[in-house]
């Protein structure tokens, strides 16, 4: 008979060939197929910052730096913000080459007219071109209070069913409408431990592709399954091919986050002593310098993987001396909170088990995170359920959201493609933004989800 052949793999663009005829008793050989990694799920080329795993948050008109690994002879720079719904050329301010690391630093400004969206960076210059998705978040203004979703211990390829779980998790997190998502390690499952089930080199592209569904900035750092103490040098090289660094900091408006790799601070099954009892001296110096330089932040937050609050690490001393209020970590697959010397240490359960945590940072303080189940706002996928229906002409969308947790979610968000129109009505909701693109318009609307209840929102063309 005649068939359509489809070949796919998570993290890669699919292949399809139709009208493939097969006759009884004969072999049909197709040409060799090469699958290309999806954007953001391939090793880095020229752009090294900002990245989809380490984006930057800016307001219209704000200047920011772009780090490029390109030859000293590179010239004729053209950089733009690109998304499905809007694009804008960046205003280039300066370009300097650092002979020490062989990289360019470009200074650019987000256009004053840039829409509030999560954009990719499109780069073209005399020596080539590159694209990095989800690298720049343009926000109308920086807020004194933000919502943070904490994920950890993703363990891609623990089993194949996780890809379905993570699709549901992305939809739920997008609905909650956080300002940032932080992912504190163990993205893969076998690096440095075993490759009996999955080749190590195949794990990062599918893992990175998971985050392409997130509508908010996502920041990623490693765990011991990504930078294992067993194969540390090989894992560092592999990590840097996709992420460029494992120690970095960033700002979400007035909130400053310091992220670092502590994956080697653990006791392994192959020996009785910890691989190291402390961070490297240069790491401690960098953390202290970073915290000191950002002492004026509304709040400073530490991000890492292996627990430190129950060790002798000097990071605790730094946190106390610098009045660090919050630290987020993973590793043990538990939901647990400890407070020591003014710092709240928050551990979240494993994402591969469907767990995530929502934190409200309110005017420089940790806001309401109470929940009846375990004392803190830890959730599992399925806490929120959605049912969307459209009229035959697509001009009316009804969204019903159920919430089985005891926590309410104010300012939840939903995004839907609608026929382009001058105005839209929203019953039970508020139109937050519209992004027209020809005959279709992306409409983002917000609404409040009550605790242990249901919310209904109806969006329609006016």
């Amino acid at each position: 008979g005649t068939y359509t052949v489809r070949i796919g793999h998570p993290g890669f663009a699919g292949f399809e060939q139709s009208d493939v005829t097969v006759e009884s008793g004969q072999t049909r050989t197709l040409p060799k197929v090469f699958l290309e990694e999806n954007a953001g799920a391939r090793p880095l080329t020229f752009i090294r910052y900002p990245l989809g795993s380490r984006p930057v948050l800016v307001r219209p008109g704000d200047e920011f730096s772009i780090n490029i690994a390109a030859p000293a002879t590179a010239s004729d720079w053209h950089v733009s913000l690109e998304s499905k719904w809007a694009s804008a050329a960046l205003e280039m301010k300066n370009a300097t080459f650092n002979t020490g690391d062989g990289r360019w630093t470009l200074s650019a400004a987000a256009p004053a007219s840039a829409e509030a969206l999560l954009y990719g960076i499109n780069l073209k210059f005399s020596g080539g071109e590159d694209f990095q998705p989800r690298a720049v978040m343009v926000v109308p203004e920086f807020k004194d209070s933000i919502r943070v979703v904490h994920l950890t211990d993703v363990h891609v390829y623990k089993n194949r069913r996780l890809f379905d779980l993570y699709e549901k998790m992305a939809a739920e997190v997008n609905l909650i409408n956080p300002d940032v998502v932080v992912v504190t390690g163990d993205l893969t499952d076998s690096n440095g431990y075993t490759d009996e089930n999955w080749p190590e080199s195949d794990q990062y592209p599918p893992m990175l592709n998971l985050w392409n569904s997130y509508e908010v900035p996502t920041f990623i750092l490693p765990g011991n399954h990504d930078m294992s103490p067993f194969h540390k040098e090989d894992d560092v090289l592999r990590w840097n091919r996709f992420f460029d660094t494992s120690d970095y900091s960033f700002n979400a408006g007035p909130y400053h986050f310091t992220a670092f790799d502590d994956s080697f601070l653990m006791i392994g099954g192959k020996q009785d002593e910890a691989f190291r009892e402390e961070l490297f001296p240069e790491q401690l110096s960098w953390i202290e310098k970073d915290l000191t330089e950002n002492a004026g932040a509304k709040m400073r937050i530490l991000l890492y993987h292996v627990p430190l609050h129950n060790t002798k690490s000097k990071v605790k001393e730094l946190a106390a001396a610098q009045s660090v209020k919050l630290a987020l970590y993973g590793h043990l697959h538990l939901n647990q909170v400890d407070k020591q010397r003014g710092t709240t240490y928050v551990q979240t359960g494993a994402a591969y088990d469907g767990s995530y945590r929502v934190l409200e940072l309110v005017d420089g303080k940790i806001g309401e995170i109470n929940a009846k189940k375990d004392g803190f706002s830890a959730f599992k996928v399925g806490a929120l359920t959605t049912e969307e229906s459209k009229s035959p002409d697509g001009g009316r969308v009804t969204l019903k959201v159920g919430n089985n947790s005891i926590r309410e979610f104010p300012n939840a968000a939903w995004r839907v493609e609608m026929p382009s129109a001058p105005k839209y009505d929203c019953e039970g909701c508020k139109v937050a933004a519209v992004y027209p693109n020809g005959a279709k318009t992306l409409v983002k609307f917000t609404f409040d989800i009550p605790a242990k209840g249901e919310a209904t929102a109806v969006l329609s063309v006016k």
Side-chain angles (χ1 to χ4, degrees):
T2 301
Y3 297 84
T4 296
V5 177
R6 297 183 181 91
I7 301 173
H9 186 72
F12 292 79
F15 167 86
E16 181 176 310
Q17 182 171 331
S18 58
D19 298 328
V20 177
T21 303
V22 179
E23 296 183 7
S24 176
Q26 294 186 0
T27 299
R28 174 70 186 271
T29 302
L30 297 178
K32 184 176 289 187
V33 173
F34 292 94
L35 300 183
E36 181 181 1
E37 293 101 335
N38 288 334
R42 61 174 71 96
L44 302 177
T45 52
F46 298 112
I47 300 173
R48 300 307 174 91
Y49 177 81
L51 304 172
S53 58
R54 193 160 43 103
V56 62
L57 284 74
V58 297
R59 297 163 300 186
D62 282 352
E63 292 188 26
F64 63 98
S65 296
I66 305 170
N67 191 254
I68 310 292
T73 55
S75 62
D76 195 24
W77 303 99
H78 297 277
V79 189
S80 60
L81 301 179
E82 303 286 346
S83 80
K84 178 181 177 181
W85 300 100
S87 62
L90 293 177
E91 182 183 352
M92 300 300 300
K93 299 290 187 178
N94 194 23
T96 58
F97 182 74
N98 187 324
T99 56
D101 61 10
R103 295 186 180 185
W104 286 88
T105 298
L106 311 183
S107 296
S113 59
E115 298 278 6
L117 276 169
L118 184 59
Y119 294 89
I121 282 189
N122 192 35
L123 168 72
K124 292 183 180 179
F125 65 104
S126 59
E129 58 184 65
D130 194 9
F131 179 76
Q132 183 64 217
R134 307 178 63 261
V136 178
M137 181 73 208
V138 176
V139 297
E141 59 184 359
F142 292 140
K143 300 185 293 186
D144 289 332
S145 300
I146 65 172
R147 180 174 293 169
V148 178
V149 164
H150 179 213
L151 302 174
T152 190
D153 296 271
V154 179
H155 290 285
V156 169
Y157 279 135
K158 206 167 186 73
N159 68 62
R160 286 188 179 275
R161 288 177 294 178
L162 286 180
F163 289 100
D164 292 335
L165 171 69
Y166 288 132
E167 286 182 8
K168 296 176 183 176
M169 179 175 285
E172 202 159 309
V173 169
N174 287 336
L175 175 65
I176 289 169
N177 196 25
D179 295 278
V180 296
V181 173
V182 295
V183 189
T184 57
D186 275 3
L187 310 167
T188 59
D189 194 53
S190 70
N191 282 4
Y193 289 83
T194 175
D195 57 0
E196 295 176 359
N197 294 320
W198 312 104
E200 294 178 358
S201 60
D202 282 353
Q203 293 211 18
Y204 281 136
M207 183 280 301
L208 280 166
N209 193 54
L210 290 174
W211 312 111
N212 284 335
S213 298
Y214 283 72
E215 303 285 353
V216 294
T218 306
F219 297 85
I220 294 175
L221 62 146
N224 56 287
H225 278 262
D226 312 304
M227 304 265 258
S228 84
F230 303 115
H231 296 164
K232 185 70 174 177
E233 291 184 5
D234 291 341
D235 289 348
V236 168
L237 291 174
R238 183 182 298 111
W239 177 269
N240 287 344
R241 285 180 61 227
F242 291 90
F243 303 95
D244 193 58
T245 185
S246 55
D247 296 340
Y248 63 92
S249 63
F250 65 93
N251 293 318
Y255 294 84
H256 185 75
F257 295 76
T258 304
F260 56 89
D261 170 29
D262 73 339
S263 59
F264 41 82
L265 298 183
M266 57 171 286
I267 296 176
K270 295 184 179 181
Q271 57 190 75
D272 296 330
E273 298 181 358
F275 295 98
R276 279 185 65 87
E277 295 183 358
E278 182 57 280
L279 299 182
F280 293 97
E282 57 269 25
Q283 281 184 299
L284 289 170
S285 296
W286 173 78
I287 292 170
E288 183 175 19
K289 181 174 182 289
D290 184 69
L291 292 174
T292 300
E293 290 178 348
N294 292 279
K298 190 172 284 289
M299 180 189 288
R300 286 166 294 171
I301 302 105
L302 297 179
L303 306 174
Y304 50 89
H305 180 68
V306 178
L308 292 173
H309 66 284
N310 55 358
T311 71
K312 298 179 180 180
S313 174
K314 293 181 180 178
V315 171
K316 293 189 300 181
E317 298 176 15
L318 290 176
Q322 295 279 355
S323 299
V324 172
K325 294 182 180 178
L326 178 64
L328 303 176
Y329 64 97
H331 186 57
L332 297 180
H333 302 186
L334 299 172
N335 289 311
Q336 183 175 329
V337 177
D338 296 278
K339 192 167 184 177
Q340 296 184 14
R341 300 174 65 182
T343 303
T344 301
Y345 292 86
V346 178
Q347 181 179 192
T348 298
Y352 82 82
D353 192 35
S355 296
Y356 62 92
R357 191 183 294 275
V358 184
L359 299 105
E360 306 285 351
L361 307 184
V362 182
D363 199 24
K365 299 178 181 178
I366 303 173
E368 179 62 48
I369 61 174
N370 292 331
K372 187 175 182 180
K373 181 178 179 182
D374 57 9
F376 299 92
S377 58
F379 300 89
K380 282 197 174 183
V381 171
L384 299 173
T385 59
T386 58
E387 180 184 339
E388 181 189 90
S389 58
K390 280 189 176 183
S391 62
D393 63 356
R396 181 182 176 89
V397 174
T398 301
L399 177 71
K400 294 182 179 181
V401 179
N403 180 9
N404 62 24
S405 76
I406 65 168
R407 173 171 169 171
E408 62 180 8
F409 290 95
N411 198 40
W414 195 254
R415 299 160 182 85
V416 62
E417 290 188 22
M418 298 285 288
S420 291
K423 295 189 73 174
Y424 299 90
D425 277 338
C426 215
E427 301 173 33
C429 53
K430 178 182 178 181
V431 174
V434 292
Y435 307 104
N437 186 359
K440 291 289 186 180
T441 293
L442 178 69
V443 181
K444 175 183 176 181
F445 60 89
T446 58
F447 56 100
D448 298 334
I449 304 174
K452 284 289 184 180
E454 183 178 273
T456 300
V458 181
L459 177 71
S460 59
V461 172
K462 187 170 182 178

